[in-house]
Structure formats: structure tokens, C-alpha cells
Amino acid sequence: MTLRNRREASPGPAEQPGLPEWVFDVLRCPVSGAELELSDGPQGVELVAAEGADPRLAYPVRDGIPVLLEHEARQID
């Protein structure tokens, strides 16, 4: 499910971090190339690689800016 579909299906707890909609259509995990989905994580809003990504990583969003650095990501089991 893409980010757009997820937001249309249900608003969910996470809110768009102040970026234009088209940005989410082109953002990809820099490690796996998977689509990223907006989610609430233990440290706040984050972008999570779609299910099936190897590895499945979650990237923090700080001050509305996605931090797409592998060393900043956390592993999703």
C-alpha cells in the first residue's frame, strides 16, 4: 500500500511531516529501494520501508525533514 492509499484508507495517528504530497510518491529507502510509508514510531513520526523490504528500516522525520541515512535508521523485525 502506498502512502497515498494509506492516508486515503484511514487518517491514522501519523501526520504528514509538512512535505508536499508528490515527495512521498518519489521517496524510496536508500538501502532497499522500497517505498516508504509514514508511521508513528517510538521516537515520533518516521518513514518505514514497505513490508517485504530487505532490510526493513524506519527513518526518523525531524522538524518535518526525513533523515534518510542508513546509520540513523532503526531495523524493523
Side-chain angles (χ1 to χ4, degrees):
M1 176 182 297
T2 66
L3 178 62
R4 175 180 291 135
N5 291 341
R6 182 172 175 224
R7 279 197 304 249
E8 289 170 359
S10 83
E15 296 193 20
Q16 183 177 352
L19 294 171
E21 178 79 24
W22 67 266
V23 171
F24 293 98
D25 292 334
V26 297
L27 282 180
R28 297 289 182 265
C29 172
V31 176
S32 68
E35 290 185 3
L36 295 169
E37 300 171 347
L38 197 59
S39 180
D40 280 330
Q43 302 296 319
V45 177
E46 59 188 12
L47 291 170
V48 178
E51 287 188 39
D54 186 29
R56 188 162 187 225
L57 300 173
Y59 298 91
V61 177
R62 296 189 186 121
D63 297 324
I65 301 170
V67 181
L68 299 179
L69 301 172
E70 184 176 7
H71 71 274
E72 294 279 342
R74 68 180 182 89
Q75 179 79 36
I76 304 287
D77 294 324

